[in-house]
Amino acid sequence: MKLSRAASWFLLAFGVWTWFIWVSFVRNLWKNGSGQAFDTAGDPTAYFWVHLTLAVTSFLLGTAVGVIGLRAVLAVRRASRSGAEGGAA
């Protein structure tokens, strides 16, 4: 399957964006600004575990999408180089 240059860059950007957003979220969750992530004894609550699970799942999916995008971008570049070399000969 071939992806267009635009689709390849979109997938790569989506993967990077996912990491940026969820790292920020986990950092804020860990700081516990809302008071919902940890109880008064300092133990993690269900809110913490659910949101940490969402973040880890998003990290995995964002990484997978980003890797697909990166591989597609590299494939598009190789194809354009080989096409330019083949056309010039």
Side-chain angles (χ1 to χ4, degrees):
M1 176 178 175
K2 285 184 162 182
L3 292 175
S4 69
R5 183 181 311 263
S8 302
W9 279 106
F10 175 78
L11 291 177
L12 181 59
F14 184 83
V16 170
W17 175 255
T18 299
W19 269 86
F20 174 75
I21 291 299
W22 284 100
V23 165
S24 299
F25 180 82
V26 169
R27 192 176 309 135
N28 291 335
L29 180 66
W30 203 265
K31 289 179 185 176
N32 191 28
S34 68
Q36 295 177 334
F38 298 97
D39 61 16
T40 54
D43 296 325
T45 62
Y47 176 88
F48 174 83
W49 291 114
V50 166
H51 286 84
L52 186 63
T53 302
L54 288 171
V56 169
T57 302
S58 293
F59 285 141
L60 294 173
L61 292 173
T63 300
V65 169
V67 167
I68 291 169
L70 178 62
R71 291 179 68 186
V73 165
L74 295 174
V76 167
R77 284 187 177 180
R78 279 192 301 269
S80 66
R81 284 184 187 157
S82 66
E85 290 171 5

